[in-house]
Amino acid sequence: MSIDPGAEIHPSAVVEDGATVAAGVRIGPFCHVGPEVTLHAGVELKSHVVIGGWTEVGEDTVIFPFASIGQIPQDLKFKGEHTRLIIGKRNRIREYVTMNPGTEGGGGVTRVGDDGLFMSSCHVAHDVIIGDRVILVNSVAIAGHCHIEDDVIVGGLSGVHQFVRIGKGAIIGALSMVAADVIPHGLVAAPRAGLEGLNLVGLKRHGVSRAEIGALREAYMALSVGNFREQARKLADEGTDSEMVREVLDFILGPSDRSFLAPK
C-alpha cells in the first residue's frame, strides 16, 4: 500500500493493502478502496463510495456517495480476466453511478476522459470509450463497447445500444433509445431516436464560425439524400475546405458495427 502522508482518510474508510493514494486525496466516511486502485492527487470520495478492480482515477475527480466504480462487468462472457477502468481528470461522478472495467474480448479497457459530468444513476458499461467534456444526465445507460466522442450530451433516461458511436458535439434528447451511430454535431430525439438535424445550439456555444456552420448544414442536406455512406464517399471525393465537414465524413466512413440514425 502506498498512501501519501498528505492524504486525508476518514477512520471509518477501508483502504486495502496495495492501493495507491496520492497527496491531497480525501476519502470520506465508509468508503472502500480496493488493492489495485490508484487515486491521483486531489481526488475526493465523498462517502460510501466503493472502488474496486484495476482502476485509476485522475486528478481532482470527485465521486459522490454510493457510486460503485470498477466492479466486474455485467457481461456473462466475463471470466475474471484482469482488465482495467481508467478515469481521467476533473470528472464529477454523482450518486449511484456505476462504471465497469473492460473485457478481454473488447480490448480490456474502459476509458473515461477529462472534465465529464456523470449525473446520478448513470451506467458506463464494459469497454466503453468516453471522450472529454461529456455530460450524461440522470439515469443514462451506455451499453458495452460504445464510443462517445468529446463534447457529447446525452439527455436523461436515455439508452445507447452496444457498439454505437456518437460523434463529437452531438446532443441526444431525453428519453431517447439510440440504436445506431450518430454523426458529429447531430441532434437526436424521440423514444425511438431519429436524427433531427444538427446541434446548432452546441455549435454556437463552442464559438464555431457561421461559415463552418453553413458548410455543415450544406453537407447535412447532401447526406440526407440516400445512403449516408454512399453520400459521404461522394462528398469526400468532391473535397471540402471545411475541417468540420471532413470530420463528419471521416466519422461516417470509419469502421463501425452499426448503421447510422437516419434523418427524419
Side-chain angles (χ1 to χ4, degrees), residues 3-264:
I3 299 179
D4 190 279
E8 299 178 21
I9 301 175
H10 192 275
S12 64
V14 175
V15 180
E16 295 195 37
D17 289 345
T20 299
V21 180
V25 169
R26 289 184 288 176
I27 300 177
F30 303 105
C31 293
H32 186 279
V33 178
E36 292 187 288
V37 173
T38 297
L39 304 179
H40 288 283
V43 167
E44 181 178 4
L45 312 183
K46 291 289 190 179
S47 72
H48 298 84
V49 174
V50 177
I51 306 183
W54 185 12
T55 299
E56 181 177 345
V57 182
E59 288 90 338
D60 298 315
T61 287
V62 180
I63 306 179
F64 286 74
F66 305 106
S68 177
I69 308 298
Q71 304 302 310
I72 65 170
Q74 299 175 66
D75 182 349
L76 293 175
K77 298 187 300 297
F78 183 74
K79 301 302 180 185
E81 54 263 32
H82 196 216
T83 55
R84 300 188 71 184
L85 169 63
I86 301 174
I87 299 171
K89 303 174 183 177
R90 298 177 301 277
N91 288 289
R92 296 295 178 268
I93 299 173
R94 296 304 305 249
E95 297 82 357
Y96 298 101
V97 168
T98 56
M99 294 183 176
N100 298 150
T103 63
E104 185 176 36
V109 179
T110 301
R111 189 181 300 272
V112 175
D114 300 335
D115 300 299
L117 172 58
F118 302 87
M119 297 188 193
S120 64
S121 302
C122 290
H123 175 60
V124 176
H126 58 89
D127 306 294
V128 167
I129 304 297
I130 293 181
D132 298 337
R133 300 174 300 280
V134 168
I135 298 174
L136 304 185
V137 183
N138 300 310
S139 300
V140 166
I142 307 296
H145 310 279
C146 290
H147 188 177
I148 314 297
E149 295 189 351
D150 296 345
D151 300 304
V152 167
I153 300 174
V154 183
L157 297 165
S158 294
V160 181
H161 194 284
Q162 61 188 11
F163 293 101
V164 160
R165 300 180 302 148
I166 299 181
K168 179 179 179 181
I171 185 167
I172 311 300
L175 297 168
S176 296
M177 179 59 225
V178 183
D181 289 353
V182 179
I183 62 170
H185 314 292
L187 169 63
V188 169
R192 296 304 297 182
L195 191 61
E196 302 278 354
L198 295 172
N199 180 15
L200 297 176
V201 172
L203 290 167
K204 291 172 183 176
R205 283 176 177 170
H206 286 90
V208 176
S209 69
R210 295 181 70 177
E212 282 281 22
I213 291 175
L216 280 171
R217 275 178 155 164
E218 288 185 15
Y220 179 79
M221 294 301 293
L223 289 166
S224 300
V225 180
N227 180 275
F228 253 31
R229 283 197 171 89
E230 291 176 3
Q231 293 300 104
R233 288 190 190 97
K234 182 179 177 181
L235 290 177
D237 290 342
E238 292 173 354
T240 176
D241 294 328
S242 168
E243 182 179 344
M244 297 189 80
V245 170
R246 284 196 298 272
E247 181 181 82
V248 173
L249 298 179
D250 289 345
F251 182 92
I252 294 171
L253 296 173
S256 175
D257 293 303
R258 309 294 299 174
S259 59
F260 284 90
L261 285 183
K264 287 190 171 181

